[in-house]
Coordinates of all heavy atoms in Angstrom, one line a residue:
M1 N 166.0 140.6 117.7 CA 165.4 139.9 118.9 C 164.1 140.7 119.3 O 164.1 141.9 119.4 CB 166.4 139.9 120.0 CG 165.8 139.3 121.3 SD 166.7 139.4 122.8 CE 168.2 138.6 122.3
E2 N 163.1 140.0 119.6 CA 161.8 140.6 119.9 C 161.5 140.3 121.4 O 161.8 139.2 121.9 CB 160.7 140.1 119.1 CG 159.3 140.7 119.4 CD 158.2 140.0 118.5 OE1 158.5 139.1 117.7 OE2 157.1 140.5 118.7
T3 N 161.0 141.3 122.1 CA 160.6 141.1 123.5 C 159.1 141.2 123.6 O 158.5 142.1 123.1 CB 161.2 142.2 124.4 OG1 162.7 142.2 124.3 CG2 160.9 142.0 125.9
I4 N 158.5 140.2 124.3 CA 157.1 140.2 124.5 C 156.8 140.4 126.0 O 157.4 139.7 126.9 CB 156.5 138.8 124.1 CG1 156.8 138.5 122.7 CG2 155.0 138.8 124.4 CD1 156.2 139.5 121.6
F5 N 156.0 141.4 126.3 CA 155.6 141.6 127.7 C 154.3 140.9 128.1 O 153.4 140.9 127.3 CB 155.5 143.1 128.0 CG 156.8 143.9 127.9 CD1 157.2 144.4 126.7 CD2 157.6 144.0 129.0 CE1 158.4 145.1 126.6 CE2 158.8 144.6 128.9 CZ 159.2 145.2 127.7
F6 N 154.3 140.3 129.2 CA 153.2 139.4 129.6 C 152.8 139.8 131.0 O 153.7 139.9 131.9 CB 153.6 138.0 129.6 CG 152.5 137.0 129.7 CD1 151.6 136.7 128.6 CD2 152.3 136.3 130.9 CE1 150.6 135.8 128.8 CE2 151.2 135.4 131.0 CZ 150.4 135.2 130.0
T7 N 151.5 140.1 131.3 CA 151.1 140.5 132.6 C 150.8 139.4 133.5 O 150.2 138.4 133.2 CB 149.8 141.3 132.4 OG1 150.0 142.4 131.5 CG2 149.3 141.9 133.8
Y8 N 151.3 139.5 134.7 CA 151.2 138.5 135.8 C 149.8 138.5 136.4 O 149.3 139.6 136.7 CB 152.3 138.8 136.8 CG 152.2 138.1 138.2 CD1 152.1 136.7 138.3 CD2 152.2 138.9 139.3 CE1 152.1 136.1 139.5 CE2 152.2 138.2 140.6 CZ 152.1 136.9 140.6 OH 152.1 136.3 141.8
G9 N 149.2 137.4 136.6 CA 147.8 137.3 137.1 C 147.7 137.4 138.6 O 146.6 137.4 139.1
G10 N 148.8 137.4 139.4 CA 148.7 137.6 140.8 C 149.0 136.4 141.7 O 149.3 136.6 142.9
E11 N 149.0 135.2 141.2 CA 149.3 134.0 142.0 C 150.3 133.1 141.2 O 150.2 133.0 140.0 CB 148.1 133.2 142.4 CG 147.2 133.9 143.4 CD 147.8 134.2 144.7 OE1 148.8 133.5 145.1 OE2 147.3 135.1 145.4
C12 N 151.1 132.4 141.9 CA 151.9 131.3 141.3 C 151.0 130.0 141.4 O 151.2 129.3 142.4 CB 153.2 131.2 141.9 SG 154.2 129.9 141.2
S13 N 150.1 129.9 140.5 CA 149.2 128.7 140.6 C 149.3 127.9 139.3 O 149.9 128.4 138.3 CB 147.7 129.2 140.7 OG 147.4 130.0 139.5
D14 N 148.8 126.7 139.4 CA 148.9 125.8 138.2 C 148.3 126.4 137.0 O 148.9 126.4 135.9 CB 148.4 124.4 138.5 CG 149.3 123.6 139.4 OD1 150.5 123.7 139.3 OD2 148.7 122.9 140.3
P15 N 147.1 127.0 137.1 CA 146.5 127.6 135.9 C 147.3 128.8 135.4 O 147.4 129.0 134.1 CB 145.1 128.1 136.4 CG 144.8 127.3 137.5 CD 146.1 127.0 138.2
E16 N 147.9 129.6 136.3 CA 148.7 130.7 135.8 C 150.0 130.2 135.2 O 150.5 130.8 134.2 CB 149.1 131.6 137.0 CG 149.8 132.9 136.7 CD 148.9 133.9 135.9 OE1 147.7 133.7 135.6 OE2 149.5 135.0 135.6
I17 N 150.6 129.2 135.7 CA 151.8 128.6 135.1 C 151.5 128.1 133.6 O 152.2 128.4 132.7 CB 152.3 127.4 135.9 CG1 152.9 127.9 137.2 CG2 153.4 126.6 135.2 CD1 153.1 126.8 138.3
E18 N 150.3 127.5 133.5 CA 149.9 127.0 132.2 C 149.7 128.2 131.2 O 150.0 128.1 130.0 CB 148.7 126.1 132.2 CG 148.9 124.8 132.9 CD 150.0 124.0 132.2 OE1 150.0 123.9 130.9 OE2 150.9 123.4 132.9
R19 N 149.1 129.3 131.7 CA 148.9 130.4 130.9 C 150.2 131.1 130.4 O 150.3 131.4 129.2 CB 148.1 131.5 131.7 CG 147.5 132.6 130.9 CD 146.6 133.5 131.8 NE 147.3 134.3 132.7 CZ 147.7 135.6 132.5 NH1 147.5 136.1 131.3 NH2 148.4 136.3 133.4
V20 N 151.2 131.1 131.3 CA 152.5 131.7 130.9 C 153.2 130.7 129.9 O 153.7 131.2 128.9 CB 153.4 131.9 132.1 CG1 154.8 132.2 131.7 CG2 152.8 133.0 133.0
K21 N 153.1 129.4 130.1 CA 153.7 128.5 129.2 C 153.1 128.6 127.8 O 153.8 128.6 126.8 CB 153.5 127.0 129.7 CG 154.4 126.7 130.9 CD 154.1 125.4 131.6 CE 153.9 124.3 130.7 NZ 153.6 123.0 131.4
K22 N 151.7 128.7 127.8 CA 151.0 128.8 126.5 C 151.5 130.0 125.7 O 151.8 130.0 124.5 CB 149.5 128.8 126.7 CG 148.7 128.9 125.4 CD 147.2 128.9 125.7 CE 146.5 129.1 124.4 NZ 145.0 129.3 124.7
A23 N 151.6 131.2 126.4 CA 152.0 132.4 125.8 C 153.5 132.3 125.3 O 153.8 132.8 124.2 CB 151.9 133.6 126.7
A24 N 154.3 131.7 126.1 CA 155.7 131.5 125.7 C 155.8 130.6 124.5 O 156.6 130.9 123.6 CB 156.5 130.9 126.9
L25 N 155.1 129.6 124.4 CA 155.1 128.7 123.2 C 154.5 129.4 122.0 O 155.1 129.3 120.9 CB 154.3 127.5 123.5 CG 154.9 126.4 124.4 CD1 153.9 125.3 124.8 CD2 156.2 125.9 123.8
E26 N 153.4 130.2 122.2 CA 152.8 130.9 121.0 C 153.8 131.9 120.4 O 153.8 132.2 119.2 CB 151.5 131.6 121.5 CG 150.4 130.7 121.7 CD 149.2 131.4 122.3 OE1 149.2 132.7 122.5 OE2 148.1 130.7 122.5
H27 N 154.6 132.5 121.3 CA 155.5 133.6 120.8 C 156.9 133.0 120.5 O 157.8 133.8 120.1 CB 155.6 134.7 121.8 CG 154.3 135.5 122.0 ND1 153.9 136.4 121.0 CD2 153.4 135.5 122.9 CE1 152.8 136.9 121.4 NE2 152.4 136.4 122.6
G28 N 157.1 131.7 120.7 CA 158.5 131.1 120.4 C 159.6 131.7 121.3 O 160.7 131.9 120.9
A29 N 159.3 131.8 122.6 CA 160.2 132.4 123.5 C 161.5 131.5 123.7 O 161.4 130.3 123.7 CB 159.6 132.6 124.9
D30 N 162.6 132.2 123.7 CA 163.9 131.5 123.9 C 164.3 131.5 125.4 O 165.0 130.6 125.8 CB 165.1 132.3 123.2 CG 164.9 132.2 121.7 OD1 164.5 131.1 121.2 OD2 165.2 133.2 121.0
A31 N 163.7 132.4 126.1 CA 164.0 132.5 127.6 C 162.8 133.2 128.2 O 162.0 133.9 127.6 CB 165.3 133.3 127.9
L32 N 162.7 133.1 129.5 CA 161.6 133.8 130.3 C 162.3 134.7 131.3 O 163.3 134.2 132.0 CB 160.7 132.8 131.0 CG 159.6 132.2 130.2 CD1 160.1 131.2 129.2 CD2 158.6 131.5 131.1
I33 N 161.9 135.9 131.4 CA 162.4 136.9 132.3 C 161.3 137.3 133.3 O 160.3 137.7 132.9 CB 162.9 138.2 131.5 CG1 164.0 137.8 130.5 CG2 163.5 139.2 132.5 CD1 164.4 138.9 129.5
G34 N 161.6 137.1 134.5 CA 160.7 137.5 135.6 C 161.2 138.7 136.3 O 162.3 138.7 136.8
I35 N 160.4 139.7 136.4 CA 160.7 140.9 137.2 C 159.6 141.2 138.2 O 158.5 141.4 137.9 CB 160.8 142.2 136.2 CG1 161.8 141.9 135.1 CG2 161.2 143.4 137.0 CD1 161.8 143.0 134.0
G36 N 160.0 141.0 139.5 CA 159.0 141.2 140.5 C 159.3 140.6 141.8 O 160.5 140.3 142.1
G37 N 158.3 140.2 142.6 CA 158.5 139.6 143.9 C 158.5 138.1 143.8 O 158.5 137.5 142.8
G38 N 158.4 137.5 145.0 CA 158.6 136.1 145.1 C 157.7 135.2 144.3 O 158.1 134.2 143.6
K39 N 156.4 135.5 144.3 CA 155.4 134.7 143.6 C 155.6 134.8 142.1 O 155.5 133.8 141.4 CB 154.0 135.1 143.9 CG 153.6 134.6 145.3 CD 152.1 135.0 145.6 CE 151.7 134.5 147.0 NZ 150.2 134.7 147.2
L40 N 155.9 136.0 141.6 CA 156.2 136.1 140.2 C 157.5 135.4 139.8 O 157.5 134.7 138.7 CB 156.3 137.6 139.9 CG 156.6 138.0 138.4 CD1 158.0 138.0 138.0 CD2 155.6 137.6 137.5
L41 N 158.5 135.4 140.6 CA 159.7 134.7 140.3 C 159.5 133.2 140.3 O 160.1 132.5 139.5 CB 160.8 135.2 141.3 CG 161.2 136.7 141.3 CD1 162.3 136.9 142.3 CD2 161.5 137.2 139.9
D42 N 158.8 132.7 141.3 CA 158.4 131.3 141.3 C 157.6 130.9 140.1 O 157.9 129.8 139.5 CB 157.6 131.0 142.6 CG 158.5 130.9 143.8 OD1 159.7 131.0 143.7 OD2 157.9 130.7 144.9
L43 N 156.7 131.7 139.7 CA 155.9 131.4 138.5 C 156.9 131.3 137.2 O 156.7 130.4 136.4 CB 154.9 132.5 138.3 CG 154.1 132.5 137.0 CD1 153.2 131.3 136.9 CD2 153.3 133.8 136.8
T44 N 157.8 132.3 137.1 CA 158.7 132.3 136.0 C 159.6 131.0 136.0 O 159.8 130.4 135.0 CB 159.6 133.5 136.0 OG1 158.8 134.7 136.1 CG2 160.5 133.6 134.8
K45 N 160.1 130.6 137.2 CA 160.9 129.4 137.3 C 160.0 128.2 136.9 O 160.5 127.3 136.1 CB 161.4 129.2 138.7 CG 162.5 130.2 139.1 CD 163.1 129.9 140.5 CE 162.1 130.3 141.6 NZ 162.7 130.2 142.9
S46 N 158.8 128.0 137.4 CA 158.0 126.9 137.1 C 157.7 126.8 135.6 O 157.8 125.7 135.0 CB 156.7 126.9 137.9 OG 156.9 126.7 139.2
A47 N 157.3 127.9 135.0 CA 157.0 127.9 133.6 C 158.3 127.6 132.7 O 158.3 126.8 131.8 CB 156.4 129.2 133.1
G48 N 159.4 128.3 133.1 CA 160.6 128.1 132.3 C 161.2 126.7 132.4 O 161.6 126.1 131.4
I49 N 161.2 126.1 133.6 CA 161.7 124.8 133.8 C 160.9 123.8 133.0 O 161.4 122.9 132.3 CB 161.7 124.4 135.3 CG1 162.8 125.2 136.0 CG2 161.9 122.9 135.5 CD1 164.2 124.9 135.7
S50 N 159.5 123.9 133.1 CA 158.6 123.0 132.4 C 158.9 123.1 130.9 O 158.8 122.1 130.2 CB 157.2 123.4 132.7 OG 156.3 122.6 132.0
L51 N 159.2 124.3 130.3 CA 159.4 124.5 128.9 C 160.9 124.2 128.5 O 161.2 124.3 127.3 CB 159.0 125.9 128.5 CG 157.5 126.2 128.6 CD1 157.3 127.7 128.4 CD2 156.7 125.5 127.6
Q52 N 161.7 124.0 129.5 CA 163.1 123.8 129.2 C 163.8 125.0 128.6 O 164.5 124.9 127.6 CB 163.4 122.5 128.4 CG 163.0 121.3 129.1 CD 163.2 120.0 128.3 OE1 163.6 120.1 127.2 NE2 163.1 118.9 129.0
K53 N 163.4 126.2 129.1 CA 163.9 127.5 128.6 C 164.8 128.1 129.7 O 164.6 127.8 130.9 CB 162.8 128.4 128.3 CG 161.8 128.0 127.3 CD 162.4 127.9 125.9 CE 161.4 127.5 124.9 NZ 162.0 127.3 123.5
E54 N 165.7 128.9 129.3 CA 166.5 129.7 130.2 C 165.7 130.6 131.0 O 164.7 131.2 130.5 CB 167.7 130.4 129.5 CG 168.6 129.5 128.8 CD 169.4 128.6 129.7 OE1 169.3 128.7 131.0 OE2 170.1 127.7 129.2
I55 N 166.0 130.9 132.3 CA 165.3 131.7 133.2 C 166.2 132.8 133.7 O 167.3 132.6 134.2 CB 164.7 130.9 134.4 CG1 163.9 129.8 133.9 CG2 164.0 131.8 135.3 CD1 163.7 128.7 134.9
I56 N 165.7 134.1 133.5 CA 166.4 135.2 134.0 C 165.5 135.9 135.0 O 164.3 136.2 134.7 CB 166.7 136.2 132.9 CG1 167.6 135.5 131.8 CG2 167.4 137.5 133.4 CD1 167.7 136.2 130.5
L57 N 166.0 136.1 136.2 CA 165.2 136.7 137.3 C 165.7 138.1 137.7 O 166.9 138.2 137.9 CB 165.1 135.8 138.5 CG 164.4 134.4 138.2 CD1 164.4 133.6 139.5 CD2 163.0 134.6 137.6
I58 N 164.8 139.0 137.9 CA 165.2 140.3 138.4 C 164.2 140.6 139.6 O 163.1 141.1 139.4 CB 165.0 141.4 137.3 CG1 165.9 141.0 136.1 CG2 165.4 142.8 137.9 CD1 165.6 141.9 134.9
P59 N 164.7 140.3 140.8 CA 163.8 140.6 142.0 C 163.7 142.1 142.3 O 164.6 142.8 142.1 CB 164.5 139.8 143.1 CG 166.0 139.8 142.7 CD 166.0 139.8 141.2
T60 N 162.5 142.4 142.7 CA 162.2 143.8 143.1 C 162.1 144.0 144.6 O 161.9 145.1 145.1 CB 160.9 144.4 142.4 OG1 159.8 143.5 142.8 CG2 161.1 144.4 140.9
L61 N 162.2 142.9 145.3 CA 162.2 142.9 146.8 C 163.5 142.3 147.3 O 163.8 141.2 146.9 CB 161.0 142.1 147.3 CG 159.6 142.6 146.9 CD1 158.5 141.6 147.3 CD2 159.3 144.0 147.6
A62 N 164.1 142.9 148.2 CA 165.4 142.4 148.8 C 165.1 141.3 149.8 O 166.0 140.5 150.1 CB 166.1 143.5 149.5
S63 N 163.9 141.2 150.3 CA 163.6 140.2 151.3 C 163.2 138.8 150.8 O 162.9 137.9 151.6 CB 162.5 140.7 152.2 OG 161.3 140.9 151.4
T64 N 163.2 138.6 149.5 CA 162.7 137.3 149.0 C 163.9 136.4 148.6 O 164.9 136.9 148.1 CB 161.8 137.5 147.8 OG1 161.4 136.2 147.3 CG2 162.5 138.2 146.6
C65 N 163.8 135.1 148.9 CA 164.8 134.1 148.5 C 164.4 133.5 147.2 O 165.2 132.6 146.7 CB 165.0 133.1 149.6 SG 163.6 132.0 149.9
A66 N 163.3 133.8 146.7 CA 162.8 133.2 145.4 C 163.7 133.4 144.3 O 163.8 132.6 143.4 CB 161.4 133.7 145.1
A67 N 164.5 134.4 144.3 CA 165.4 134.7 143.2 C 166.5 133.7 143.1 O 167.0 133.4 142.0 CB 166.0 136.1 143.3
W68 N 167.0 133.1 144.2 CA 168.1 132.2 144.1 C 167.9 130.8 144.5 O 168.7 129.9 144.3 CB 169.3 132.8 144.9 CG 169.0 133.1 146.3 CD1 168.5 134.2 146.9 CD2 169.1 132.2 147.4 NE1 168.3 134.1 148.2 CE2 168.7 132.8 148.6 CE3 169.6 130.9 147.5 CZ2 168.7 132.2 149.8 CZ3 169.5 130.3 148.8 CH2 169.1 131.0 149.9
T69 N 166.7 130.5 145.0 CA 166.4 129.1 145.4 C 165.8 128.3 144.2 O 165.0 128.9 143.5 CB 165.4 129.0 146.6 OG1 164.2 129.8 146.2 CG2 166.0 129.6 147.8
P70 N 166.2 127.1 144.0 CA 165.7 126.3 142.9 C 164.4 125.6 143.3 O 164.3 124.4 143.2 CB 166.8 125.3 142.6 CG 167.4 125.1 143.9 CD 167.3 126.4 144.7
L71 N 163.4 126.4 143.7 CA 162.1 125.8 144.0 C 161.0 126.9 143.8 O 161.3 128.1 143.8 CB 162.0 125.3 145.5 CG 162.2 126.2 146.6 CD1 160.8 126.8 147.0 CD2 162.7 125.4 147.8
S72 N 159.8 126.4 143.7 CA 158.7 127.3 143.5 C 157.6 126.9 144.5 O 157.3 125.7 144.6 CB 158.1 127.2 142.1 OG 159.0 127.7 141.1
V73 N 157.0 127.9 145.1 CA 155.9 127.6 146.0 C 154.6 127.9 145.2 O 154.5 128.9 144.5 CB 155.9 128.6 147.2 CG1 154.7 128.3 148.1 CG2 157.2 128.4 148.0
I74 N 153.7 126.9 145.2 CA 152.5 126.9 144.3 C 151.3 127.1 145.2 O 151.2 126.5 146.3 CB 152.4 125.5 143.6 CG1 153.7 125.2 142.8 CG2 151.2 125.6 142.6 CD1 154.2 126.1 141.8
Y75 N 150.5 128.0 144.8 CA 149.3 128.4 145.5 C 148.1 128.1 144.6 O 148.2 127.8 143.4 CB 149.3 129.9 145.8 CG 150.4 130.3 146.7 CD1 151.6 130.7 146.1 CD2 150.3 130.4 148.0 CE1 152.7 131.1 146.9 CE2 151.4 130.8 148.8 CZ 152.6 131.1 148.2 OH 153.6 131.5 149.0
D76 N 146.9 128.1 145.2 CA 145.7 128.0 144.3 C 145.3 129.4 143.9 O 146.0 130.4 144.3 CB 144.5 127.3 145.1 CG 144.0 128.1 146.3 OD1 144.2 129.3 146.4 OD2 143.3 127.4 147.1
D77 N 144.3 129.6 143.1 CA 143.9 130.9 142.6 C 143.5 131.9 143.6 O 143.4 133.1 143.4 CB 142.9 130.8 141.5 CG 143.5 130.2 140.2 OD1 144.7 130.4 140.0 OD2 142.8 129.5 139.5
N78 N 143.2 131.4 144.9 CA 142.8 132.3 146.0 C 143.9 132.7 146.9 O 143.7 133.3 147.9 CB 141.7 131.6 146.8 CG 140.4 131.4 146.0 OD1 140.0 132.3 145.2 ND2 139.8 130.2 146.1
G79 N 145.1 132.2 146.6 CA 146.3 132.5 147.4 C 146.6 131.6 148.5 O 147.5 131.8 149.3
S80 N 145.9 130.4 148.6 CA 146.2 129.4 149.6 C 147.3 128.5 149.1 O 147.3 128.0 148.0 CB 144.9 128.6 149.9 OG 143.9 129.5 150.5
Y81 N 148.2 128.2 150.1 CA 149.3 127.3 149.8 C 148.8 125.9 149.3 O 147.9 125.3 149.9 CB 150.2 127.1 151.0 CG 151.2 126.0 150.9 CD1 152.4 126.3 150.3 CD2 151.0 124.8 151.4 CE1 153.4 125.3 150.2 CE2 152.0 123.8 151.3 CZ 153.2 124.1 150.7 OH 154.1 123.1 150.6
V82 N 149.5 125.4 148.3 CA 149.1 124.0 147.7 C 150.3 123.1 148.0 O 150.2 122.0 148.5 CB 148.8 124.1 146.2 CG1 148.6 122.7 145.7 CG2 147.5 124.9 146.0
R83 N 151.5 123.5 147.5 CA 152.7 122.7 147.6 C 153.9 123.5 147.2 O 153.8 124.7 146.8 CB 152.6 121.5 146.6 CG 152.6 121.9 145.1 CD 152.6 120.7 144.2 NE 152.8 121.1 142.8 CZ 151.9 121.7 142.0 NH1 150.7 122.0 142.5 NH2 152.2 122.1 140.8
Y84 N 155.1 122.9 147.2 CA 156.3 123.5 146.6 C 156.9 122.5 145.7 O 156.9 121.3 146.0 CB 157.3 124.0 147.7 CG 157.9 123.0 148.6 CD1 159.1 122.4 148.2 CD2 157.3 122.7 149.8 CE1 159.7 121.5 149.0 CE2 157.9 121.7 150.6 CZ 159.1 121.1 150.2 OH 159.7 120.2 151.0
D85 N 157.5 122.9 144.6 CA 158.2 122.1 143.6 C 159.6 122.4 143.7 O 160.0 123.6 143.6 CB 157.6 122.4 142.2 CG 156.2 122.0 142.1 OD1 155.7 121.2 142.8 OD2 155.5 122.5 141.1
I86 N 160.5 121.4 143.8 CA 161.9 121.5 143.8 C 162.4 121.3 142.3 O 162.0 120.3 141.7 CB 162.6 120.6 144.7 CG1 162.2 120.9 146.1 CG2 164.1 120.7 144.6 CD1 162.7 119.9 147.2
H87 N 163.2 122.3 141.8 CA 163.6 122.2 140.4 C 165.1 121.7 140.4 O 165.9 122.0 141.2 CB 163.6 123.6 139.8 CG 162.3 124.3 139.9 ND1 161.2 123.8 139.3 CD2 161.9 125.4 140.5 CE1 160.1 124.6 139.6 NE2 160.6 125.6 140.3
E88 N 165.3 120.8 139.4 CA 166.7 120.2 139.3 C 167.7 121.2 138.7 O 168.9 121.0 138.9 CB 166.6 119.0 138.3 CG 165.8 117.9 139.0 CD 165.8 116.6 138.1 OE1 166.7 116.5 137.2 OE2 165.0 115.7 138.3
K89 N 167.2 122.3 138.1 CA 168.1 123.3 137.5 C 167.8 124.6 138.1 O 166.7 125.0 138.4 CB 167.8 123.4 136.0 CG 168.7 124.3 135.2 CD 168.4 124.3 133.8 CE 169.2 125.4 133.0 NZ 168.9 125.5 131.6
S90 N 168.9 125.4 138.4 CA 168.8 126.7 139.0 C 168.6 127.7 137.9 O 168.8 127.5 136.7 CB 170.0 127.1 139.7 OG 170.2 126.3 140.9
T91 N 168.2 128.9 138.3 CA 168.1 130.0 137.4 C 169.3 130.3 136.6 O 170.4 130.2 137.1 CB 167.7 131.3 138.2 OG1 166.5 131.0 138.8 CG2 167.5 132.5 137.3
W92 N 169.2 130.6 135.3 CA 170.4 130.8 134.4 C 171.1 132.1 134.8 O 172.3 132.2 134.9 CB 170.0 130.8 133.0 CG 171.1 131.1 132.0 CD1 172.2 130.2 131.8 CD2 171.3 132.2 131.2 NE1 173.0 130.8 130.9 CE2 172.5 132.0 130.5 CE3 170.6 133.4 131.0 CZ2 173.0 132.9 129.6 CZ3 171.1 134.3 130.1 CH2 172.3 134.1 129.5
M93 N 170.3 133.2 135.1 CA 170.8 134.5 135.4 C 170.0 135.2 136.4 O 168.8 135.1 136.3 CB 170.9 135.3 134.1 CG 171.6 136.7 134.3 SD 171.7 137.7 132.8 CE 172.7 136.7 131.8
L94 N 170.7 135.8 137.3 CA 170.0 136.6 138.4 C 170.6 138.0 138.4 O 171.8 138.2 138.5 CB 170.2 135.9 139.7 CG 169.7 136.7 141.0 CD1 168.3 137.0 140.9 CD2 170.1 135.9 142.2
L95 N 169.8 139.0 138.2 CA 170.2 140.4 138.2 C 169.7 141.1 139.4 O 168.5 141.2 139.6 CB 169.8 141.1 136.9 CG 170.2 140.4 135.6 CD1 169.5 141.1 134.4 CD2 171.7 140.4 135.4
I96 N 170.6 141.7 140.2 CA 170.3 142.3 141.4 C 170.9 143.7 141.5 O 172.1 143.8 141.2 CB 170.7 141.5 142.7 CG1 170.1 140.2 142.7 CG2 170.4 142.3 143.9 CD1 170.5 139.3 143.8
E97 N 170.1 144.7 141.9 CA 170.7 146.0 142.1 C 170.7 146.2 143.7 O 169.7 146.4 144.3 CB 169.8 147.1 141.5 CG 170.1 148.5 141.9 CD 171.5 148.9 141.6 OE1 171.9 148.8 140.4 OE2 172.2 149.3 142.5
P98 N 171.9 146.0 144.3 CA 172.0 146.1 145.7 C 171.7 147.5 146.2 O 171.4 147.7 147.3 CB 173.4 145.7 146.0 CG 174.2 145.9 144.8 CD 173.2 145.8 143.7

């Protein structure tokens, strides 16, 4: 099994979702793993759901609900709110260090 690390661009935006999806397809990803705060977790959920891949989330902030809610808040590239997307499927695995 090979692991590919991918750097987050800073926003959960449509262009960033497409960038993650493209990289996942290029590398033949079986699952997407998101490690970080709310926007990164929302980005991982949006890309993974769109690709029909399993999603594993590891939140680094205790104050975020992004790790367990089946939705993603979408922003533009400047960080302004655009919409939220509700996902029909929840995250496959959530790893938390209390």
Side-chain angles (χ1 to χ4, degrees):
M1 177 189 304
E2 181 181 3
T3 302
I4 304 297
F5 291 93
F6 191 77
T7 304
Y8 168 54
E11 292 297 339
C12 180
S13 63
D14 289 319
E16 187 70 0
I17 293 166
E18 291 302 316
R19 190 172 77 91
V20 170
K21 287 170 46 179
K22 180 180 177 187
L25 288 171
E26 286 175 359
H27 293 286
D30 294 319
L32 277 72
I33 302 171
I35 304 170
K39 287 184 178 183
L40 180 277
L41 300 181
D42 283 356
L43 172 67
T44 305
K45 288 185 285 186
S46 288
I49 291 292
S50 179
L51 293 170
Q52 298 180 348
K53 301 293 183 183
E54 297 296 353
I55 303 162
I56 301 166
L57 299 179
I58 305 171
T60 57
L61 298 171
S63 62
T64 182
C65 67
W68 57 270
T69 55
L71 65 86
S72 294
V73 180
I74 310 299
Y75 300 87
D76 65 19
D77 289 330
N78 296 318
S80 296
Y81 170 82
V82 174
R83 68 178 187 282
Y84 65 91
D85 296 337
I86 298 174
H87 307 301
E88 293 184 16
K89 182 179 177 184
S90 293
T91 300
W92 180 69
M93 184 182 294
L94 171 60
L95 302 173
I96 299 175
E97 171 58 55

